[in-house]
DNA sequence: AAACCATGCAACCGCCAGTAG
DNA sequence: CCTACTGGCGGTTGCATGGTT
């Protein structure tokens, strides 16, 4: 006895959004904010369910979306974050301003996975494939420490995205790994007076100890924007994931997207820079009213 | 030119957690 | 405390497009 879709009750439209629907939704949210999603379709005169409206706004209409192809920096960051967070796309997206979880998920599934495999890295565990295969072979089914941390409190609120230092993507930069290969482990060193973060190999511990300590470390780390940023800037195994991808920083360009839809919209760069991090709710229309009106004109004036 | 295939992307589905009544 | 509702999330699907045969 499966549940009916939320669109089932009424005869609601499904499928691709038309430019007219986009305009209605955008105008409504511009004017009133989104407030309660379930009431938006009615108020905006849309034959859609609230969920659909929310998704459309988040994934397509939000003014602070970056769009365009991902830069190599972004791809590297996604890989690093995936190693830490696993398939927690929304958490990953929270650290990539202007990118949506859906976009990142799609990129991962269609592109990054393959690239990692080509590099001989298992995209699930982020370990070398040979190691993973051997691990399976000898019956070791212990979950990897990477990508499957029992992190439950890693964002609230999400920290600002880490600034990308030159170190972070410097091809010459190599992290302080204690061995050439091994499971990635990111934690705090205990000897120092400050929160020294380091990449290294997993120490031998009981599973319970590991898990408990891991959770504490990750919770601390991910709840601390400063720690996270510092960690990402300075202590990242960049060489591990030094994947050759196109290297042009291509934010805010619409030229390179291979199959962009006909109603693509591109927002002025100044707009992007001024807008807050994506997860800040846009419930107060005053926050972005003017901007949004400009955007509405920009978005629909030239279709 | 047509058929087939691969890929990327947008959107839906179903589950879960939080919360108001 | 219970229930219904809502928003949010991750997994999955289906379509459009471009490339290849």
């Amino acid at each position: 006895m499966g549940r009916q879709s939320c669109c089932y009750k009424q005869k609601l439209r499904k499928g691709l959004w038309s430019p007219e629907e986009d305009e209605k939704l955008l105008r409504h949210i511009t004017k009133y904010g989104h407030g309660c999603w379930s009431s938006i379709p009615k108020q905006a005169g849309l034959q859609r369910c609230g969920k659909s409206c929310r998704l459309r706004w988040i994934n397509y209409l939000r003014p602070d979306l970056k769009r365009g192809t991902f830069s190599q920096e972004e791809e590297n960051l996604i890989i690093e974050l995936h190693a830490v967070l696993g398939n927690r796309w929304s958490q990953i997206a929270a650290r990539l301003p202007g990118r949506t979880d859906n976009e990142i998920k799609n990129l991962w599934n269609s592109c990054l996975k393959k690239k990692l495999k080509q590099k001989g890295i298992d995209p699930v565990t982020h370990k070398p494939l040979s190691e993973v295969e051997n691990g399976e072979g000898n019956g070791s089914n212990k979950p990897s420490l990477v990508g499957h941390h029992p992190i439950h409190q890693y964002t609230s609120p999400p920290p600002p995205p880490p600034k990308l230092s030159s170190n972070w993507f410097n091809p010459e930069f190599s992290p302080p790994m204690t061995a050439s290969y091994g499971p990635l482990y990111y934690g705090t060193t205990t000897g120092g007076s400050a929160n020294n973060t380091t990449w290294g190999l997993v120490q031998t511990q009981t599973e319970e100890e590991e898990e408990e300590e891991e959770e504490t470390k990750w919770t601390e780390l991910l709840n601390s924007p400063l720690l996270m940023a510092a960690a990402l800037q300075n202590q990242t195994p960049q060489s591990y994931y030094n994947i050759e991808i196109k290297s042009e920083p291509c934010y805010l360009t619409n030229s390179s997207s291979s199959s962009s839809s006909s109603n693509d919209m591109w927002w002025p760069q100044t707009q992007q820079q001024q807008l807050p991090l994506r997860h800040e709710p846009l419930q107060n229309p005053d926050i972005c009213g003017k901007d949004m009106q400009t955007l509405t004109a920009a978005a629909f004036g030239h279709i």
Side-chain angles (χ1 to χ4, degrees):
Chain A
M1 108 181 173
R3 288 194 301 177
Q4 299 292 355
S5 144
C6 61
C7 303
Y8 176 80
K9 303 172 201 166
Q10 305 135 23
K11 288 176 183 173
L12 297 176
R13 263 179 63 83
K14 288 168 73 175
L16 293 177
W17 281 64
S18 68
E20 291 75 23
E21 287 178 305
D22 280 344
E23 185 175 2
K24 280 183 182 175
L25 182 59
L26 183 54
R27 283 205 176 131
H28 184 270
I29 295 180
T30 299
K31 204 169 179 180
Y32 305 106
H34 66 68
C36 175
W37 284 112
S38 57
S39 60
I40 280 203
K42 205 175 180 181
Q43 294 167 355
L46 290 162
Q47 301 294 310
R48 295 274 181 174
C49 70
K51 258 187 170 181
S52 184
C53 293
R54 176 184 159 272
L55 209 64
R56 185 61 177 171
W57 173 256
I58 288 173
N59 288 335
Y60 195 80
L61 295 175
R62 273 190 313 141
D64 56 332
L65 288 180
K66 193 175 278 180
R67 310 193 69 85
T69 54
F70 282 75
S71 67
Q72 181 165 1
E73 285 81 1
E74 286 177 304
E75 292 191 2
N76 287 344
L77 182 55
I78 290 166
I79 293 167
E80 299 299 341
L81 288 169
H82 186 272
V84 171
L85 296 164
N87 289 0
R88 295 176 173 108
W89 305 116
S90 63
Q91 303 302 325
I92 295 173
R95 290 170 173 79
L96 280 107
R99 299 299 188 182
T100 70
D101 52 359
N102 208 32
E103 213 177 357
I104 292 168
K105 183 169 55 184
N106 282 336
L107 178 75
W108 180 264
N109 287 328
S110 69
C111 185
L112 295 183
K113 258 179 164 176
K114 286 177 201 166
K115 283 174 180 171
L116 283 181
K117 278 180 186 170
Q118 283 169 6
K119 280 276 186 179
I121 297 170
D122 179 53
V124 177
T125 62
H126 291 256
K127 291 178 182 176
L129 276 172
S130 55
E131 193 178 308
V132 173
E133 282 158 12
N134 290 340
E136 282 170 1
N138 63 21
S140 163
N141 55 0
K142 185 180 170 182
S144 163
L145 282 165
V146 176
H148 298 283
H149 294 278
I151 302 164
H152 305 301
Q153 309 164 21
Y154 33 84
T155 58
S156 52
K163 290 183 180 173
L164 305 178
S165 70
S166 53
N167 252 4
W168 170 256
F169 295 106
N170 182 350
E172 302 301 319
F173 172 72
S174 90
M177 305 278 279
T178 54
S180 60
Y181 250 138
L184 288 178
Y185 174 76
Y186 184 66
T188 53
T189 57
T190 50
S193 56
N195 280 309
N196 296 325
T197 52
T198 182
W199 285 92
L201 294 173
V202 179
Q203 295 163 359
T204 307
Q205 282 176 303
T206 69
E207 281 185 44
E208 290 79 12
E209 284 169 350
E210 266 177 14
E211 208 162 290
E212 193 176 328
E213 193 171 323
E214 282 301 289
E215 182 152 12
T216 306
K217 287 172 182 174
W218 281 101
T219 302
E220 279 176 18
L221 179 70
L222 290 166
N223 276 325
S224 165
L226 289 176
L227 276 181
M228 186 69 176
L232 289 172
Q233 280 182 19
N234 301 320
Q235 306 287 341
T236 302
Q238 156 70 13
S239 55
Y240 212 69
Y241 298 115
N242 191 15
I243 294 169
E244 291 171 19
I245 317 170
K246 77 282 172 194
S247 60
E248 77 279 15
C250 45
Y251 302 177
L252 295 172
T253 64
N254 63 351
S255 55
S256 50
S257 179
S258 60
S259 62
S260 52
S261 57
S262 59
N263 52 351
D264 267 353
M265 291 181 293
W266 300 96
W267 309 98
Q269 184 154 16
T270 50
Q271 180 67 32
Q272 309 252 340
Q273 290 161 345
Q274 288 164 3
L275 284 163
L277 191 57
R278 53 160 298 205
H279 280 283
E280 293 184 19
L282 290 167
Q283 293 183 347
N284 181 353
D286 292 335
I287 292 174
C288 60
K290 271 186 197 173
D291 291 338
M292 288 293 287
Q293 283 178 4
T294 309
L295 294 168
T296 305
F300 299 107
H302 306 292
I303 290 175

